[in-house]
Amino acid sequence: MSHTPRPLIALRADASASIGVGHIKRSVSLAKALQAAGCETLLLSRPSDVAHAIATPAGVRHAMLTGLAAGDIGNDDASADARATIDALRGLAPAWVIVDHYSLGADWHRAVADALGTRIGVIDDLGNRTLATELLIDHNLDTDHRTKYAACLDQGATTAMLCGPRFALLGPAFADAAPNAIEHPVRSIGIFVGGADAAGISIAAAEGCRTHAGFTGLIEIATTRFNPQLTALRAWCEADAAASLSVDQPDLAAFFGRHGLHVGAGGGATWERCRVGAPTLALCCAANQLAVIPTLAAIGVVATPTPTHALDAASIGRAVACLLGDAAQRHSMAERSRALVDGRGAQRVAVFLNASALQARRASQADAGLAHRWRNHRTTREASSDTREIDWATHNAWWQASLARDDRLMLIGSVGSIDVGVIRFDLPADGRAAEVSLYLDPALHGLGLGGRLLSAGERELHALHPAAVSAGVDATVRADNAASQRMFSAAGYTRCGDTVWHKADVTNNVAGASAAKDFA
């Protein structure tokens, strides 16, 4: 298996009391996933103790832009920000610059792309400004993201879109987070309205639970040291014997899992709560959250006060009281929210960004379990010639025997340390064509990985068994599997019948070379 240099992907985001910590948090989550996918990362921000305090303990390299003031970007200094970013990255040759900033638009994107010869990706959920980007990431729920951004993107440009809660940029702890244990009656309430909470909504939420909902159980409030209301929060919790304050938790997976009801803002933590299945009263604490909360409330994923934008203790308390008395609604909210988010959004984006580095390695017995899970998934079986579910004992015996065969090559495709699929070649000894079969991790479908896995497998086949491919390679593809037919056609295979595709020369191997750029 050949090795390629680790590409650098730079991320640009800010944090402050006024804009909160969400942009930095999700950029750090993406950076961690990128590291697992085989990339180097560098997070750039304006001078900020907040950004440094979040990035550094997480193992993400962070640098502050020089010559810029701390805090948010004014309308008149985006160009200065672009120059500072260019200066910080000059000579580092980043493959991508991923920007998570509402104040940076197309002029900034073009200036940085042109000066550095890099590709630009944008994390956004507003759709309120012009964007010059090859990749758009928007984790919000929407019926049609292309329509949402139609007026924002350059006409005629190809922009890949990774959109919806499937691409929510959550930290590694959420991939395997235990589900919330729904309880009745509710014994405790968790409150988290952002790491900064400059408006002091945490106290209003706590007062709503105590005074207006009459809740007497434990209330735990989570926040960070950068909350300007921290002193007042400490005082409120000290005055309430059944209240506690948690500051600077590295992640909130356990926090969201241990309380029977949550009150929180409709920002990025919404998707963290969804992943855990935490019944939530969602508060609209910023204008952009009005695009999220009503939609989620309409499909029963969260509840909201009446009216939706209400943030006073009385309105919050009335809504909390309704949820405390309705176990069926809390159960339903938990199930629907977990169905939206699986915690692998950052991994999907990272694999997409470094898909060109996909390599194929020899499979081992340690890979039998993941191959069994992937092979038995509904989407894999529906695309296979054999749609039966295979029991573990049968699969494991077949896997062991296959690894021992000289006429079968078993490979695992990986992007960095992330395993993404299985590819197998059967090698006839009678001069007939080799036969290929492959399937992906079902959670990573739609990222252009199939062609890349096929290409990487063909390279390994040619390197390890050059004589065995003199007659080419055959693939059997179901007549109703249009996606696989397109993939094999793009990889240079020719259809030879209803289900058989043939490639005469695997040395002419360019399959998947443009998949990441052309994906949409």
Side-chain angles (χ1 to χ4, degrees), residues 31 44 65 97 131 167 174 227 256 260 300 369 485 492:
L44 299 173
L65 299 175
V97 176
L131 307 172
F167 297 99
F174 287 92
N227 188 335
F256 291 140
Q485 291 172 16

Side-chain angles (χ1 to χ4, degrees), residues 7-11 30-31 33-35 37-41 95-99 119-123 133-137 160 162 167 169 345-358 415 447 449 452 515-517 519:
L8 171 67
I9 298 186
L11 302 105
L30 178 55
L34 285 165
Q35 291 169 7
C39 300
E40 300 287 346
T41 63
W96 287 85
V97 176
I98 309 297
V99 192
R119 303 169 75 177
I120 299 294
V122 172
I123 301 171
T133 180
E134 291 189 52
L135 172 64
L136 177 67
I137 305 159
L162 303 182
F167 297 99
L169 301 176
Q347 185 185 80
R348 290 186 181 95
V349 176
V351 166
F352 177 86
L353 287 168
N354 201 31
S356 62
L358 192 153
V415 177
L447 302 178
L449 297 176
R452 294 192 184 279
K517 188 168 183 177
F519 172 80

